[in-house]
Amino acid sequence: SRVDMVVQQGLSAGQPDSPEARKGIIEKLAMQILAAEEAVKKGLDKSPEVMAQIDLIRQSVLANAYVEDLIKNSTASDDVLKAEYEKIKAALTGSEYKARHILVGTEAEAKDIIAKLQKDPGSFEKLAMEKSEDTGSKAKGGELGWFDLNSMVPEFGVAASKLEKGAFTQEPVKTQFGYHIILLEDSKPIEAPPFEEVKAQLAQQLEQQSLQKQLDDLKAKAKIEYVEAPAAAK
């Protein structure tokens, strides 16, 4: 049973269960038992320092057991999860955008690229692959995919939100990263992901909220005093 307990602790930490691992655990436990028996023979189990450590470990184990019991008994029902999902869904506002960009180091470079785009608007992807300094999007023709404004630096987000679908910025957009030319490919209202996709995440979130509330209530009902240690003798 002790071996199984150690194995379970290892599994939760990402360590595999195998005959070799169990053999190592058995060897370690055997040595612990032998050393502990010798410690008792020497009376070390009566030492104030050892007794304090044992008490602290016992306290930690019991506290963890209490938390695990709270978690086990605070599982939210599907109705509660759906209600929380609808609240979040109703709070979603704004739009998300699909865009490409070209990032360069100077305003002059950016203006030169804009001039080329004005002559040939269809060359954006080609110019992004040739000129952009953004290594993350350069190979994809400057493609950034879908994003909401909060995920971008303010200057970039403001410029993107003012563009019409299919249009690109006629002036360089300066940010902390350099100068951008932005092409807006599409926009749409922000939509919540499907319930089933976020159900597990919502359950964990509500579980943590419930746990924190119960622990806060426990603390609020308790009388906790902070006492300074006596000054050391000179």
Side-chain angles (χ1 to χ4, degrees):
S1 64
R2 291 187 186 185
V3 173
D4 287 339
M5 189 186 300
V6 176
V7 167
Q8 286 303 315
Q9 290 171 349
L11 288 172
S12 65
Q15 297 168 1
D17 179 10
S18 67
E20 293 77 14
R22 284 179 177 261
K23 184 178 179 182
I25 291 167
I26 291 167
E27 289 288 335
K28 185 175 179 180
L29 288 175
M31 288 310 303
Q32 281 183 346
I33 290 168
L34 292 172
E37 287 176 350
E38 291 302 309
V40 171
K41 287 177 186 177
K42 289 189 171 186
L44 297 177
D45 57 324
K46 302 295 189 294
S47 157
E49 292 85 359
V50 172
M51 291 175 71
Q53 287 183 56
I54 291 171
D55 189 52
L56 192 60
I57 292 168
R58 178 179 178 276
Q59 179 178 287
S60 176
V61 170
L62 284 173
N64 288 335
Y66 176 70
V67 168
E68 287 175 12
D69 184 65
L70 286 180
I71 291 171
K72 192 193 308 177
N73 293 299
S74 64
T75 305
S77 66
D78 275 7
D79 288 343
V80 171
L81 291 174
K82 283 176 182 174
E84 183 68 16
Y85 173 74
E86 291 302 327
K87 274 170 52 181
I88 295 170
K89 191 176 174 182
L92 287 176
T93 57
S95 299
E96 55 183 345
Y97 301 84
K98 186 181 182 188
R100 294 178 185 270
H101 84 137
I102 300 170
L103 173 66
V104 291
T106 68
E107 187 177 11
E109 288 177 282
K111 285 185 173 180
D112 181 60
I113 291 168
I114 289 170
K116 289 177 180 176
L117 287 169
Q118 287 169 340
K119 292 178 182 176
D120 182 10
S123 64
F124 197 98
E125 291 183 44
K126 180 173 176 290
L127 286 169
M129 294 174 77
E130 290 175 359
K131 307 285 188 180
S132 184
E133 296 176 12
D134 177 12
T135 54
S137 67
K138 178 184 177 83
K140 299 181 289 184
E143 184 181 353
L144 297 171
W146 288 98
F147 59 87
D148 65 69
L149 299 184
N150 293 329
S151 65
M152 296 295 180
V153 288
E155 303 90 340
F156 190 103
V158 169
S161 68
K162 290 179 178 177
L163 289 171
E164 294 290 332
K165 182 178 175 180
F168 59 87
T169 48
Q170 297 297 307
E171 291 293 330
V173 178
K174 185 180 180 183
T175 73
Q176 66 199 68
F177 302 108
Y179 293 85
H180 306 257
I181 303 97
I182 306 166
L183 168 66
L184 181 65
E185 294 188 312
D186 204 356
S187 65
K188 63 181 180 181
I190 294 175
E191 297 177 0
F195 172 69
E196 290 301 327
E197 194 176 299
V198 295
K199 181 179 175 181
Q201 186 180 343
L202 276 176
Q204 186 178 32
Q205 183 179 313
L206 291 179
E207 180 184 277
Q208 289 300 318
Q209 288 174 0
S210 174
L211 172 62
Q212 191 59 52
K213 183 181 182 305
Q214 292 185 74
L215 292 176
D216 287 344
D217 289 346
L218 194 65
K219 186 177 180 181
K221 291 173 185 173
K223 182 182 178 183
I224 303 173
E225 292 183 47
Y226 296 87
V227 181
E228 287 189 21
K234 292 183 180 179

